[in-house]
Amino acid sequence: MIRTICGHWKSLGLGWIIAAFMTVAASMPALAELRVDVTRGTVEPLPIAVADFLGNGATASQVGRDVARVIKSDLERSGLFRAIDSKAFINPEKSLDSLPQFSNWRVVNAQALTQGRITVEGDQKLKVEFRLWDVFAEQQMIGQVFTTVPSNWRRIAHIIADAIYKRITGETGYFDTRVVYIAETGRGDRRIKRLAIMDQDGANHHFLTDGSSLVLTPRFSPSRQEITYMSYHGNIPRVYLFNIDTGRQEALGDFPGMTFAPRFSPDGNKVIMSMARDGNTEIYSMDLRTRKTARLTNHSAIDTSPFYAPDGSKIAFNSDRSGTQQLYVMNSDGSNVKRITFGKGRYATPVWSPRGDLIAFTKIAGGKFFIGVMKPDGSGERLLTDGFLVEAPTWSPNGRVLMFFRETPLNGNRGKVSKLFSIDLTGHNEREMVTPLDASDPAWSPLIP
Amino acid sequence: MQLRSLGYIVGALFFLAACESATMQDSAADGSGKQEMKDGGQMAAPAPRPQSPPTGFSIAEGSQQDFVINVGDRVYYDFDRSSLKPTARTTLEKQSVWLKKFPAVQVTIEGHADERGTREYNLALGERRANSAKDFLVALGINPSRLKVVSFGKERPVALGHDEASWSQNRRAVTVPTTGLPGS
């Protein structure tokens, strides 16, 4: 199983994807640009026609349909696009070598049009050409060619969806990413939890551990194919590193107490975590190169769920030093601790946006759980969603979408259902991530390099 | 280790249930007890523990069952608290007497939380609870080298309901004898 993943990841190396740019229409648009503003509260989804990519033969045609399907699904799940039903298309082009009949696309109300062509060359080479058109301005917005191995078709589709998203919204996309999370089965005190990884759209799902040890709270390294997480392996709860390429697992450090709540530093060179000993929980950092550890907090309270600011200068965490769980921010050396939440309720799991401008959190108030965001100084609190239990937000790498898990109680003491959801920063477009089993503790990867 | 100790706890509950229906089964501590857990799901509210073994059924002194049924293996906490309530102190006092009587026994104290907190905070809270029980046993004269602690946070609920009746059973510290039991 590990070998499959390893091969899969290795095959994704940049060397195999060659992108080129081409322009058919020479003049750049002088008219108002086709654009979606992602910061607005409610956005009317942009109608886009994603034509099946043409193919030179049966295999290529099938890949062409699959690529179009993945692009459509990515764009639609973002909530910013509405893919027009292909049954409505009027005489879609049979060739990529001439301009589209824009009038036919205007009739079906397409604002944007995506076309492409797949060329299979032997067993080893797949050529993917793609264009994005502004239907009303009759302008080409993007033209790209990718050459890769055939098994990479799905990833190319995500890269194309990212390109469309970026061209039309002005924001970096997040479709060429993965999610690591905890897959759950079984009830109550027999719950089995496994590390699992999948593409952000749920495809390429793999289990990384076999469920023999309880595992919790995985997080991606920003710089290497590594995950840090917590495991009860050998009945000793502590923090581990998992190498996705090799499948190797390694306990981090030799602490005299339980270590948990690990996160990487933004440069990937450190892991911060909590250690609990003698009833007291403090935050520590460990340098992954020297393996030296440093204690960052010194308080008799519970200090946990630490998270670095994207520039590495500060750490947000939650502590009950005031009597209840609240959010605090300190310098990354542990100095200058400041409480930032004073609202009603308890605050937990602060996660800094990759843009640095917001902190997402879990809030518990009035018997409910909430996912919200606030500025790093604690002002401007905005709650995005709530429920019996929603917990553990994680940011898409462009800072526009949050993923979290939601537990829904089952009637009659039959336990609960736990699933992953994503929601836009605007509070709109909440969607369930389909997973084979119950799911919790999601962590969104950076854009795949 | 965890599973085995659960087997005993479940077995003990089955035993209590068996007492009520007046049907004794010597093998209650094993498979049949597990079956009840699977079907019944939620355990009943903490049952009052008999002060002495019922007549007609013998529990070996110093056994796991002796500890669970005659002493009481767990104490309960208020929401988001790790301070010991009077009933918890009484239970821990009985545990200390038993542990002094069987000085070879080593235990692990498992700290747990209900589902109404975040995962990582609850791991810390469970650790704090297990240590509050440990500290009390040490104050009563038990050698700390006999007492290990582990926290399971909200990962191992015994009651599966989503109300205070269940949560109050899950906010607990369970003392689990691991080695040194007489006759084992």
Side-chain angles (χ1 to χ4, degrees), chain A residues 108-365:
Chain A
V108 296
N109 225 352
Q111 301 262 330
L113 165 67
T114 294
Q115 296 179 315
R117 178 164 55 199
I118 307 288
T119 314
V120 176
E121 297 170 5
D123 292 340
Q124 289 305 314
K125 211 166 143 197
L126 185 73
K127 190 168 137 196
V128 182
E129 298 164 86
F130 125 82
R131 282 172 201 155
L132 175 68
W133 300 95
D134 181 333
V135 170
F136 283 81
E138 303 195 357
Q139 300 281 354
Q140 180 176 314
M141 299 180 82
I142 313 176
Q144 290 179 341
V145 185
F146 302 89
T147 309
T148 184
V149 289
S151 60
N152 261 352
W153 68 268
R154 181 177 275 279
R155 201 174 159 209
I156 295 296
H158 291 313
I159 290 171
I160 290 171
D162 277 334
I164 296 168
Y165 181 96
K166 183 172 187 182
R167 187 67 181 80
I168 290 180
T169 68
E171 303 276 341
T172 307
Y174 56 87
F175 303 122
D176 187 26
T177 55
R178 324 200 118 188
V179 174
V180 63
Y181 74 98
I182 299 296
E184 305 189 1
T185 45
R187 283 169 47 185
D189 57 1
R190 305 236 172 104
R191 195 106 167 136
I192 291 168
K193 296 196 172 192
R194 303 167 73 181
L195 263 184
I197 193 169
M198 60 188 178
D199 295 352
Q200 55 77 30
D201 63 352
N204 289 318
H205 188 280
H206 301 283
F207 294 107
L208 300 175
T209 62
D210 63 7
S212 58
S213 299
L214 174 63
V215 291
L216 304 170
T217 64
R219 295 278 170 170
F220 272 107
S221 164
S223 54
R224 281 180 296 275
Q225 297 303 338
E226 274 179 349
I227 293 163
T228 183
Y229 68 107
M230 183 205 188
S231 171
Y232 280 72
H233 180 70
N235 291 318
I236 304 167
R238 53 183 166 170
V239 168
Y240 284 78
L241 274 188
F242 186 101
N243 186 302
I244 302 170
D245 286 335
T246 63
R248 190 165 167 260
Q249 300 174 55
E250 169 197 2
L252 258 193
D254 188 21
F255 290 90
M258 169 177 71
T259 50
F260 60 107
R263 319 270 192 270
F264 284 97
S265 61
D267 62 8
N269 291 331
K270 284 182 184 170
V271 167
I272 36 173
M273 62 186 112
S274 278
M275 181 185 67
R277 189 191 185 193
D278 301 334
N280 179 30
T281 294
E282 303 284 11
I283 294 168
Y284 287 74
S285 71
M286 171 184 263
D287 189 306
L288 294 175
R289 296 159 301 184
T290 63
R291 300 279 151 154
K292 282 199 175 130
T293 59
R295 191 175 74 185
L296 302 179
T297 55
N298 189 0
H299 199 285
S300 59
I302 290 172
D303 298 319
T304 189
S305 300
F307 200 99
Y308 274 103
D311 67 1
S313 67
K314 290 190 160 57
I315 293 168
F317 63 101
N318 62 236
S319 173
D320 70 342
R321 57 183 68 188
S322 73
T324 61
Q325 244 177 313
Q326 299 291 334
L327 301 188
Y328 293 76
V329 169
M330 63 184 174
N331 293 341
S332 57
D333 64 358
S335 64
N336 198 21
V337 179
K338 279 186 184 151
R339 179 174 168 181
I340 64 164
T341 53
F342 299 90
K344 281 203 171 127
R346 295 184 286 152
Y347 292 81
T349 73
V351 284
W352 225 297
S353 159
R355 295 158 172 264
D357 57 344
L358 291 170
I359 289 175
F361 55 82
T362 306
K363 179 175 181 172
I364 307 166

Side-chain angles (χ1 to χ4, degrees), chain A residues 193 232 305 391 413 415, chain B residues 42 119-120 151 154-155 162:
Chain A
K193 296 196 172 192
Y232 280 72
S305 300
E391 186 180 337
N413 296 328
Chain B
Q42 184 191 10
R119 191 178 317 287
E120 291 169 338
S151 172
K154 61 176 173 177
E155 304 306 313
H162 306 285

Side-chain angles (χ1 to χ4, degrees), chain A residues 24-47:
Chain A
V24 170
S27 62
M28 291 307 287
L31 302 163
E33 274 240 272
L34 183 56
R35 200 164 183 85
V36 170
D37 181 358
V38 298
T39 60
R40 276 174 49 205
T42 47
V43 174
E44 185 63 29
L46 183 106

Side-chain angles (χ1 to χ4, degrees), chain B residues 91-134:
Chain B
T91 301
L92 291 169
E93 277 159 13
K94 287 163 73 183
Q95 288 186 4
S96 75
V97 171
W98 191 88
L99 287 168
K100 283 174 186 166
K101 198 168 169 188
F102 303 104
V105 172
Q106 307 265 332
V107 303
T108 296
I109 305 170
E110 300 174 350
H112 299 269
D114 66 27
E115 64 182 353
R116 303 312 285 162
T118 48
R119 191 178 317 287
E120 291 169 338
Y121 179 84
N122 278 6
L123 287 170
L125 183 59
E127 203 265 351
R128 206 190 242 172
R129 284 176 176 158
N131 273 288
S132 79
K134 176 187 170 181

